[in-house]
């Protein structure tokens, strides 16, 4: 039946990161690959007790179909959380939609906004989960290069001006950004750039899709107002998730935006998966009611900060004096973007890495045009500290071998 | 931002049934509307205990991202269940995909098979959950009228022949059928018709998508071999769900098919929602290992049979002697399809129904071309028995009023 596949199905490629997850389990393997949090950091005892209780006492809700919009109790609690933690005010229930993780939120965004000829902006490197679902609807993406303080907004404005000049500005739907601790870049968009991004979006009447899965995992520096808070819900659609603060296993994403956009996303979700599981939604809702989720992740933040600082130190130790090697220094999140001199192909190096029992994600996984070949994404959250030291050592071995073979060093 | 919506977004209509769910809760309301099972029938105590246990002891799995393919333990158990209950043999793990309910399976099917000009066959009336996601990808549907023993296969073969003659047979992707206790029709495809359907699909080289959410809810008669068992996995894609046998709140669907098709659906799922929640998957897996799920639903089956027989008796009592009123007599499932004389518009009658505190689903909700106006779907599973009697009485009141107003009686 494969000859019957649709055009987009023939275009679909398997997600390298998801595939990497499969070899992660190999004995002796050290993985800097997956952006998966450490399950030890999640409040399993509390969640176990709550889940037992809501299945016993709230089974009429937890075992039944939920509304497509999502659990009202969870939405109430999340509105309170956004107010308390992010100073976001004035949200009503119909400004929120609970999705099956942020991935399905991204899929709904692409469904309700993108036609085949629609234009959208993404960073380079780009989070592939977003790019993959956007590009199934339209391949008219425009890149903004990542910078130390976010994305290149001069580049953005110039592109928008060109598009306007050729009369296609109406086709531009949204600018997709990860505001904090970019995946894979690790960088954060500065306050000045957030404000300017909103101005640009208003000038050209474009929506901003702000993806913020990592914002609560800040290890250094001060929190910055979200683009959503700066631009407001009629200009910015905010994507949040429970995956990094409570558990990815629950698959709970939250979309916050203008109620007309949320309403349309609800209609799209009716056809996509009917509703998010009521059990996982109510579990998160009761957890938020009974526990201080931000206090709960403090030890996690402390742990990840140590691991992050350790990996940065090890990179410095091993590559600090090597010409053309540089990496980002994130203030939070899970990722460091490690760039090697031109000529290195991290995709080719992956097999060598596997045989040396060290995994990383090749830069090509974050590109829509097979670029970023000389970069890789390193995640520090999952491996124990001694594995971080040993892993960077193995990485160096692979890099030296490959570099010598190719006369790049 | 609504002016930025995509063409398909502008086409999206809200699902009437999902909207009906919202008024279902109104005090005094009797609902024959939603096809939702009775939560009292689900094994909540066992599920509560298992969920507590797997969050305590299997948290490294249940709180972590799952593989896109789905929980291998759940797939093993489901393969065993299909062998034991349906005599389906020779399935491997890579023939199965666990989805967020059957709805997302339908969405993945439409993504991997349908282009804008793709042709597919659906019944009339059609399950709107399927039709809505198919029609977002392509509007080139062809109807097969529902019959007492399934669908009109002469109609199907004739349409296929015409399409072949005009040289478009390559555009035909699949025939979508609900094999047992059709939603909304209540009818079951006979063994003879299942065999002929497979022959027709082979003759014209078309895939059959067999949706079977209700097959395990049989109240009368003998089980019939699935179309999947007759046609095999290279010809038939089988969709099953836990929603009717364990709980809709878990949102667990299972797709069974050729491994190339499953593999492509996995790629589509990576971009759609990354993975199905690991908690709900493992919960179902452990339940299947420890309990006989089919024994568990026996009381449910007995209960639903009584309710079904009662509703049929009440329909006979109230409408048996009325010209042009007829209804289906299902051997299982949740629905009766009630057809009124031409001229009745059940969509218009819905408001009258609401004010009389009786809900049903207007036939138009199961049509892609605003037909089926003089039919309605009645669900008997959720209301208590006395509500079934009272509900049919209220239904008659609404019908008599409307009929007299319009001089239809």
């Amino acid at each position: 039946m494969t000859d019957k596949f649709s055009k987009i199905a023939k275009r679909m490629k398997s997600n390298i990161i998801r595939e990497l997850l499969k070899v992660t389990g190999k004995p002796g393997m050290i993985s800097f690959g997956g952006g998966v949090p450490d399950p030890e950091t999640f409040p399993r005892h509390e969640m176990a007790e709550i889940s037992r209780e809501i299945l016993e006492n709230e089974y009429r809700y937890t075992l039944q179909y939920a509304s497509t919009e999502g659990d009202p109790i969870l939405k109430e609690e999340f509105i309170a959380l956004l107010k308390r933690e992010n100073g976001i005010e004035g949200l009503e229930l119909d400004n929120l939609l609970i999705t099956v993780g942020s991935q399905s939120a991204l899929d709904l965004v692409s469904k309700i906004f993108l036609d085949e000829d629609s234009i959208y902006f993404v960073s380079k490197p780009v989070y592939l989960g977003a790019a993959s679902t956007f590009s199934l609807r339209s391949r008219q993406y425009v890149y903004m290069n990542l910078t130390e303080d976010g994305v290149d907004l001069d580049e953005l404005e110039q592109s928008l001006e060109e598009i306007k000049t050729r009369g296609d500005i109406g086709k531009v739907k949204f600018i997709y950004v990860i505001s904090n601790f970019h995946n894979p870049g690790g960088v954060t968009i500065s306050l000045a750039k957030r404000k300017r991004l909103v101005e640009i979006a208003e000038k050209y009447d474009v929506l901003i899709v702000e993806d913020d899965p990592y914002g609560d995992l800040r290890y250094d520096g001060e929190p910055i107002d979200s683009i959503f808070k700066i631009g407001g819900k009629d200009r910015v659609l905010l994507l949040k998730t429970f995956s990094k603060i409570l558990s990815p296993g629950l698959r709970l994403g939250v979309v916050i935006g203008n109620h007309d956009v949320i309403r349309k996303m609800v209609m799209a979700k009716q056809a996509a998966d009917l509703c998010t599981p009521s059990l996982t939604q109510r579990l998160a809702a009761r957890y938020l009611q009974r526990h201080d989720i931000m206090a709960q992740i403090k030890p996690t933040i402390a742990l990840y900060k140590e691991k992050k600082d350790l990996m940065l130190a090890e990179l410095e130790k091993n590559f600090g004096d090597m010409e053309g090697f540089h990496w980002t220094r994130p203030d939070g999140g899970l990722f460091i973007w490690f760039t090697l001199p031109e000529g290195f192909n991290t995709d080719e190096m992956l097999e060598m890495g596997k045989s040396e029992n060290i995994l990383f994600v090749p830069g090509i996984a974050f590109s829509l045009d097979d670029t970023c070949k000389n970069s890789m994404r390193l995640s520090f959250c999952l491996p124990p500290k001694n594995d971080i030291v040993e892993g960077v050592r193995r990485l160096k071995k692979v890099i030296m071998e490959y570099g010598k073979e190719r006369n790049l060093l």
Side-chain angles (χ1 to χ4, degrees), chain A:
Chain A
M1 282 297 140
T2 57
D3 58 322
K4 300 223 172 280
F5 285 152
S6 62
K7 286 193 227 79
I8 60 169
K10 288 176 180 139
R11 239 158 60 196
M12 284 174 191
K13 273 179 286 157
S14 185
N15 177 331
I16 298 178
I17 300 168
R18 303 295 301 166
E19 296 307 314
L20 273 178
L21 272 180
K22 296 176 187 164
V23 280
T24 307
K26 186 185 154 203
M29 183 67 77
I30 294 175
S31 178
F32 296 157
V36 300
D38 182 345
E40 300 293 342
T41 65
F42 298 130
R44 62 180 185 270
H45 306 303
E46 293 81 354
M47 291 168 80
E49 178 48 32
I50 291 171
S51 74
R52 187 199 57 73
E53 188 185 313
I54 60 177
L55 279 166
E56 284 289 353
N57 307 334
E58 300 184 69
Y59 64 93
R60 294 201 142 271
Y61 181 83
T62 54
L63 293 181
Q64 192 55 283
Y65 289 101
S67 71
T68 307
E69 289 81 355
D71 180 5
I73 299 178
L74 179 58
K75 295 207 281 184
E76 284 287 3
E77 289 301 316
F78 205 80
I79 288 172
L81 187 71
L82 286 170
K83 188 172 178 179
R84 199 166 64 240
E85 297 297 325
N86 308 96
I88 294 171
E89 311 245 355
L91 294 177
E92 315 262 332
L93 287 184
D94 66 1
N95 294 122
L96 272 70
L97 169 65
I98 310 295
T99 59
V100 180
S102 283
Q103 187 61 47
S104 82
L106 291 164
D107 191 46
L108 297 176
V109 164
S110 71
K111 277 176 176 165
I112 72 163
F113 287 114
L114 298 180
D115 293 310
E116 270 206 340
D117 63 346
S118 296
I119 301 166
Y120 54 96
F121 286 78
V122 294
S123 63
K124 177 181 180 179
V126 63
Y127 169 56
L128 203 71
S132 61
T133 185
F134 296 161
S135 60
L136 289 182
R137 297 276 316 153
S138 162
R139 298 163 90 183
Q140 308 302 314
Y141 63 89
V142 183
Y143 270 140
M144 308 170 286
N145 277 297
L146 219 60
T147 64
E148 295 228 323
D149 61 348
V151 284
D152 188 331
L153 294 184
D154 299 329
E155 216 180 343
L156 169 66
E157 196 156 16
Q158 194 183 341
S159 309
L160 281 166
E161 199 52 44
E162 284 166 15
I163 292 166
K164 189 178 178 184
T165 314
R166 68 167 201 250
D168 284 341
I169 197 70
K171 291 183 183 164
V172 182
K173 299 304 179 80
F174 58 78
I175 303 161
Y176 171 77
V177 292
I178 298 176
S179 43
N180 298 304
F181 325 128
H182 185 276
N183 177 4
V187 302
T188 294
I189 303 177
S190 67
L191 180 60
K193 281 204 163 176
R194 292 177 191 219
K195 288 175 176 167
R196 189 175 160 213
L197 179 58
V198 169
E199 287 163 15
I200 294 171
E202 274 165 357
K203 177 177 173 191
Y204 295 93
D205 190 26
V206 179
L207 179 73
I208 298 169
V209 178
E210 177 182 20
D211 197 357
D212 184 26
Y214 314 107
D216 300 309
L217 295 179
R218 173 176 282 277
Y219 318 134
D220 306 299
E222 287 306 308
I224 305 171
D225 278 350
S226 65
I227 301 167
F228 181 88
K229 190 181 175 191
I230 296 166
K233 58 183 178 325
D234 297 334
R235 180 61 55 194
V236 186
L237 194 66
L238 176 61
L239 272 50
K240 300 283 286 182
T241 174
F242 281 89
S243 294
K244 308 302 184 287
I245 57 173
L246 191 58
S247 147
L250 298 179
R251 310 299 303 124
L252 290 175
V254 188
V255 187
I256 305 105
N258 166 295
H259 64 82
D260 295 326
V261 172
I262 296 296
R263 177 88 190 115
K264 189 60 75 172
M265 286 184 85
V266 167
M267 292 182 201
K269 184 174 169 65
Q270 285 173 346
D273 58 25
L274 220 53
C275 61
T276 303
S278 37
L279 175 62
T280 51
Q281 292 189 77
R282 186 54 56 90
L283 178 52
R286 294 295 175 213
Y287 185 88
L288 286 178
Q289 283 181 323
R290 297 175 194 183
H291 304 281
D292 180 345
I293 196 167
M294 291 307 158
Q296 177 269 131
I297 59 167
K298 281 209 172 76
T300 311
I301 288 173
L303 173 71
Y304 287 175
K305 175 179 166 49
E306 285 178 28
K307 291 183 173 188
K308 186 259 295 183
D309 290 341
L310 178 60
M311 186 176 273
L312 287 174
E314 290 302 311
L315 287 171
E316 187 59 43
K317 205 180 297 175
N318 285 275
F319 302 100
D321 57 1
M322 287 174 68
E323 181 88 28
F325 288 75
H326 49 90
W327 51 91
T328 55
R329 288 166 179 75
D331 289 329
L334 307 173
F335 308 112
I336 292 168
W337 186 241
F338 184 32
T339 299
L340 285 48
E342 284 296 332
F344 277 87
N345 183 331
T346 54
D347 194 31
E348 287 175 10
M349 291 162 63
L350 189 59
E351 282 313 308
M352 288 172 69
K354 284 181 187 168
S355 53
E356 293 291 335
N357 279 337
I358 177 66
L359 290 181
F360 51 82
V361 185
I364 196 172
F366 307 98
S367 137
L368 287 161
D369 56 0
D370 292 357
T371 54
C372 307
K373 283 199 168 92
N374 60 320
S375 297
M376 63 175 69
R377 189 190 74 178
L378 303 177
S379 175
F380 47 79
C381 57
L382 206 47
K385 288 181 204 159
N386 50 347
D387 279 6
I388 289 177
V389 177
E390 172 61 16
V392 174
R393 198 193 59 72
R394 292 178 188 175
L395 198 56
K396 173 126 186 199
K397 184 157 182 275
V398 170
I399 287 169
M400 297 306 287
E401 259 177 52
Y402 183 93
K404 294 216 174 80
E405 271 179 20
R406 302 284 195 293
N407 299 315
L408 298 164
L409 293 171

